[in-house]
Amino acid sequence: MKPYIPTSRNSSFELLRIIAMLAIIAHHYLVHGVGQIALAPPVLWSVGEICQLLAKISNNIFFLLTGWFLCRTHFTFKRLMILFGQILFINWSLLIINLVVYGQRDIVTILKQLFPISSSMNWFISAYFAVYMLGSFIQNAAKYFRSNPRKYNIFISALFILFGLIGFITPSTAYYSRIAFGIYIVFIGDYVEFNKDKISSLPVKMIGLVCFIILMGLRYALDYIAEFIPVISDYAGHFEGNSSPLITTTAICVLLLFSKLSIKSKIINLLAS
């Protein structure tokens, strides 16, 4: 969704978009792509874990940004096509690199990158499309809750329990779809923007850093324990799932930090567009 900003684009948020996109590209290249063969296993594991965390934080950031500007957004088909074009550009660029540099020949992988719509590798664009199509409904709901702050608190708490806490303590997210996850994070983004003055008074730098350190520590600890108790491996990755409270909290902290910046750059705006 393209935010409507009366004067100019917010370069701080545009920079955040660029950083988030680079993190996602690095994750797909190193963890899901053929880039994994370029690094020795020990190095790959450590770099891959960091990239995976940053990518999932970035997934949250994109939906949070959509929610941040939710009540100032114009929903247009043109913006939807621009978004699709950006996804095609990224996937086709990676496909060319895989074909030319690494000699990728797997037909399934090639088709997924040629048509990045519904495969698990491209779940984000599918979810984002759906969220965008439901944008007017989500926007009206958010405006209603903004006029009833107490109900908004209850609503967000219920969503947090359903998507955050329950998902955090179970090894499966089968009870909800990625589209539902996208809608959840969009509402979180609008809620954070609505309460930004109160939330910004918190030590967001420290909170975000602590959450990230806990995420890394949990991942290393659970992977180690899984060597002796294999069933733990089912939980190891889920603690850093897209809807993990630690991931979402870290993303919120990053968003708030960038919201305080006063960057004005035509170059950044051009790159982000």
Side-chain angles (χ1 to χ4, degrees):
M1 286 185 265
K2 184 178 181 179
Y4 168 71
I5 305 176
T7 54
S8 62
R9 301 177 71 169
N10 188 319
S11 297
S12 301
F13 284 141
E14 297 302 332
L15 177 60
L16 179 57
R17 291 180 198 273
I18 293 172
I19 295 172
M21 181 56 69
L22 291 175
I24 292 173
I25 292 174
H27 165 66
H28 278 269
Y29 182 70
L30 289 174
V31 179
H32 293 310
V34 295
Q36 57 186 292
I37 66 176
L39 297 175
V43 178
L44 172 65
W45 192 90
S46 297
V47 174
E49 285 300 310
I50 294 174
C51 286
Q52 184 169 346
L53 283 179
L54 293 177
K56 291 184 177 180
I57 291 170
S58 297
N59 287 336
N60 274 251
I61 285 173
F62 275 109
F63 282 112
L64 286 171
L65 280 169
T66 298
W68 185 277
F69 294 108
L70 181 62
C71 290
R72 290 172 284 168
T73 296
H74 294 300
F75 301 94
T76 65
F77 181 76
K78 178 181 177 180
R79 177 54 188 163
L80 195 63
M81 292 299 98
I82 291 175
L83 174 65
F84 184 58
Q86 292 170 343
I87 298 298
L88 286 179
F89 174 78
I90 293 171
N91 276 270
W92 291 356
S93 297
L94 289 175
L95 176 60
I96 291 173
I97 293 174
N98 290 341
L99 288 172
V100 175
V101 179
Y102 295 101
Q104 174 64 259
R105 294 295 183 269
D106 182 67
I107 188 64
V108 175
T109 301
I110 293 174
L111 288 175
K112 285 181 177 180
Q113 289 188 299
L114 277 175
F115 307 101
I117 298 296
S118 60
S119 67
S120 59
M121 182 183 297
N122 297 288
W123 69 267
F124 180 86
I125 185 60
S126 301
Y128 203 93
F129 260 66
V131 169
Y132 191 90
M133 298 303 290
L134 295 170
S136 295
F137 169 78
I138 299 172
Q139 186 180 68
N140 290 333
K143 288 180 178 179
Y144 166 77
F145 283 121
R146 279 174 173 249
S147 65
N148 298 272
R150 183 172 178 274
K151 291 183 179 180
Y152 211 176
N153 292 337
I154 296 173
F155 178 67
I156 290 297
S157 298
L159 289 180
F160 178 74
I161 292 172
L162 178 63
F163 292 99
L165 293 183
I166 294 179
F168 193 62
I169 61 177
T170 60
S172 173
T173 57
Y175 65 90
Y176 69 84
S177 70
R178 284 162 171 167
I179 295 173
F181 155 76
I183 294 173
Y184 158 59
I185 300 298
V186 166
F187 272 116
I188 292 289
D190 180 73
Y191 181 81
V192 170
E193 196 282 331
F194 183 55
N195 295 279
K196 61 181 180 293
D197 293 333
K198 296 178 182 178
I199 299 175
S200 295
S201 63
L202 299 173
V204 292
K205 288 183 181 179
M206 182 59 67
I207 294 173
L209 180 60
V210 169
C211 285
F212 189 80
I213 292 174
I214 292 175
L215 280 166
M216 286 301 298
L218 276 173
R219 185 63 179 176
Y220 277 90
L222 290 174
D223 276 343
Y224 177 76
I225 296 173
E227 294 182 8
F228 307 97
I229 310 175
V231 70
I232 294 296
S233 62
D234 293 334
Y235 291 85
H238 194 62
F239 277 99
E240 59 183 34
N242 283 298
S243 62
S244 163
L246 293 172
I247 291 288
T248 302
T249 300
T250 304
I252 290 172
C253 290
V254 173
L255 178 66
L256 289 171
L257 288 174
F258 273 81
S259 72
K260 296 179 181 179
L261 301 179
S262 299
I263 300 175
K264 294 183 179 180
S265 172
K266 292 182 179 179
I267 296 177
I268 291 176
N269 294 344
L270 179 63
L271 290 173
S273 63

